[in-house]
């Protein structure tokens, strides 16, 4: 099990801005790797109510179950590595395996171990080291939508915000209110219902 505090700044960008950023940072097609995020919640959206998210990330033949929940700074992430058979079982049944994520769900007050698969968001991602943090370039597709996002992750909230703000200013990209991927996924799903 791994627990970590995620401190990041993010901004939705247009396709043209994304292409320009990739070119400016000399990113090539081979720098991008595909990952699939399979999102879950209870039938009554208990996680959404608690501003939390549960996913299985499938990336380069590795499978990680992650619970994200609010924290005083950033998000608290609880990760649990699982094998493909466990992932396939969870995708088919909604039954979360025993372990650290299930324990953390109980601490959060979500007592069921059966969840509903809401859908999958696929991201083509490139990451580079940038000014003491990680700059992330994401092209995500879900529910017939494609969006582009720039993220900056670091260890100190103020430094993350300052560094990311300066980068957006340098590239003349306006700061846009940007929900996280699960929130964008939920919004798109609600609009299509």
């Amino acid at each position: 099990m791994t627990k970590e505090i995620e401190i990041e700044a993010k901004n939705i960008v247009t396709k043209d801005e994304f292409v320009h950023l990739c070119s400016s940072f000399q990113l090539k097609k081979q720098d991008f790797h595909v990952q699939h995020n399979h999102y879950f919640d209870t039938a009554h959206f208990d996680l959404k109510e608690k501003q939390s998210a549960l996913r299985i990330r499938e990336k380069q033949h590795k499978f990680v179950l992650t619970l994200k929940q609010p924290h005083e700074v950033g998000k608290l992430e609880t990760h649990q590595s699982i094998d493909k058979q466990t992932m396939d079982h969870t995708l088919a049944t909604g039954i979360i395996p025993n372990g650290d994520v299930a324990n953390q769900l109980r601490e959060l007050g979500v007592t069921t171990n059966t969840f509903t698969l809401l859908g999958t968001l696929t991201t083509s991602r490139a990451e580079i080291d940038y000014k003491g943090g990680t700059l992330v370039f994401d092209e995500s597709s879900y529910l017939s939508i494609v969006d582009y996002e720039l993220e900056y992750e670091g260890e100190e909230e103020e430094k993350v915000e300052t560094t990311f703000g300066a980068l957006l200013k340098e590239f003349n990209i306006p700061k846009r209110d940007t929900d996280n991927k699960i929130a964008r996924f939920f919004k798109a799903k609600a609009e299509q219902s």
Side-chain angles (χ1 to χ4, degrees):
M1 174 202 62
T2 307
K3 284 189 180 183
E4 65 180 340
I5 305 301
E6 177 185 63
I7 300 173
E8 66 181 12
K10 56 179 62 197
N11 204 61
I12 287 286
V13 295
T14 66
K15 183 176 182 178
D16 287 344
E17 289 166 345
F18 189 78
V19 169
H20 179 64
L21 285 161
C22 290
S23 174
S24 297
F25 284 96
Q26 301 175 352
L27 294 174
K28 307 286 186 244
K29 188 171 182 141
Q30 60 266 26
D31 295 321
F32 286 82
H33 301 282
V34 173
Q35 61 188 33
H36 304 285
N37 293 320
H38 308 287
Y39 291 112
F40 297 85
D41 206 333
T42 67
H44 300 292
F45 296 101
D46 295 322
L47 292 173
K48 183 180 178 189
E49 291 276 320
K50 296 177 183 294
Q51 299 175 329
S52 298
L54 181 65
R55 72 162 187 239
I56 295 175
R57 176 169 285 167
E58 184 180 349
K59 178 181 174 183
Q60 297 175 326
H61 308 292
K62 292 184 180 168
F63 313 96
V64 179
L65 178 64
T66 298
L67 174 65
K68 287 187 175 196
Q69 60 191 108
H71 192 264
E72 58 255 13
V73 177
K75 293 271 188 188
L76 173 64
E77 294 187 344
T78 304
H79 304 289
Q80 179 179 333
S81 292
I82 57 176
D83 58 25
K84 185 173 187 329
Q85 182 179 357
T86 302
M87 180 192 74
D88 290 342
H89 183 261
T90 301
L91 291 175
T93 65
I95 297 172
I96 300 302
N98 289 328
D100 297 312
V101 170
N103 294 341
Q104 194 68 29
L105 283 164
R106 281 190 287 279
E107 279 188 33
L108 189 61
V110 179
T111 56
T112 183
N113 72 339
T114 304
F115 291 80
T116 300
L117 174 63
L118 302 173
T120 299
L121 182 146
T122 299
T123 299
S124 179
R125 168 173 284 186
E127 298 180 1
I128 61 170
D129 293 332
Y130 182 76
K131 296 191 176 183
T134 303
L135 191 58
V136 181
F137 303 78
D138 282 346
E139 177 182 344
S140 296
S141 58
Y142 52 100
L143 304 171
S144 73
I145 293 171
V146 176
D147 68 29
Y148 303 88
E149 180 181 27
L150 188 65
E151 292 182 6
Y152 183 65
E153 300 174 0
E155 294 182 8
E156 297 173 25
E157 187 174 25
E158 187 176 326
K159 183 173 190 273
V160 165
E161 292 295 334
T162 302
T163 303
F164 192 65
L167 176 67
L168 293 178
K169 188 173 183 180
E170 178 185 340
F171 283 90
N172 295 313
I173 297 173
K175 180 75 176 123
R176 299 177 178 110
D177 287 337
T178 302
D179 290 327
N180 61 27
K181 288 178 182 64
I182 183 71
R184 297 198 311 265
F185 179 90
F186 270 127
K187 185 176 179 183
K189 193 166 181 70
E191 288 173 357
Q192 292 183 3
S193 296

